[in-house]
């Protein structure tokens, strides 16, 4: 019904920047909340940032001030700009979206994840 595809991960040195993208495709009528989560090895998945359909944002304390979440509703895409990256930011980053699906209703979807590795 709906697929989320992330891109933009990679290997970066501490202090560097990355921009993650996530695009929804399929039977999308409207996307409500979108967000980024991450999971480091041996740890639980945690929230990074979220953005509502009207553009209200929320950040975890660990990325507040270093990251910016934004969205392009015309492209069904959410972005995460991460600056001043630290080795502790190393994780698989997952996109999440609450989607109103054509002829189905509301559903919650996850992307496959993109690896971010920050070297010291």
């Amino acid at each position: 019904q709906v697929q989320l595809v992330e891109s933009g991960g990679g290997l970066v040195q501490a202090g560097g920047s990355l921009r993650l993208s996530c695009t929804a495709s399929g039977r999308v009528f409207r996307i409500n909340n979108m967000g980024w989560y991450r999971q480091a090895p041996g740890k639980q998945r945690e929230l990074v940032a979220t953005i509502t359909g009207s553009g209200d944002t929320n950040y975890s304390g660990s990325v507040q001030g270093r990251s910016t979440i934004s969205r392009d509703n015309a492209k069904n895409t959410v972005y995460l700009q991460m600056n001043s990256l630290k080795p502790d930011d190393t994780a698989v980053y997952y996109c999440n979206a609450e989607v109103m699906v054509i002829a189905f209703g509301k559903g919650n979807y996850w992307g496959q994840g993109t690896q971010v590795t920050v070297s010291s």
Side-chain angles (χ1 to χ4, degrees):
Q1 293 169 335
V2 173
Q3 298 81 38
L4 300 182
V5 178
E6 300 113 332
S7 61
L11 173 64
V12 64
Q13 288 188 331
S17 298
L18 281 175
R19 188 193 195 207
L20 306 183
S21 301
C22 171
T23 299
S25 63
R27 301 168 62 88
V28 177
F29 174 71
R30 185 181 70 245
I31 303 177
N32 297 329
N33 296 342
M34 303 185 82
W36 289 95
Y37 294 73
R38 68 186 183 187
Q39 187 166 18
K43 296 186 177 181
Q44 290 187 332
R45 190 172 297 188
E46 63 176 5
L47 179 147
V48 177
T50 60
I51 185 168
T52 67
S54 58
D56 294 328
T57 59
N58 178 58
Y59 297 91
S60 71
S62 60
V63 304
Q64 180 79 47
R66 300 188 294 120
S67 297
T68 302
I69 188 170
S70 60
R71 62 191 288 171
D72 185 333
N73 291 330
K75 296 181 179 179
N76 290 336
T77 297
V78 63
Y79 305 97
L80 183 68
Q81 176 70 44
M82 299 188 294
N83 303 319
S84 303
L85 284 162
K86 307 174 182 178
D88 284 349
D89 294 317
T90 295
V92 178
Y93 283 70
Y94 296 92
C95 173
N96 175 265
E98 182 184 270
V99 181
M100 297 301 295
V101 182
I102 296 171
F104 176 78
K106 187 166 61 178
N108 190 274
Y109 297 90
W110 291 91
Q112 81 287 353
T114 185
Q115 177 71 47
V116 172
T117 302
V118 184
S119 63
S120 57

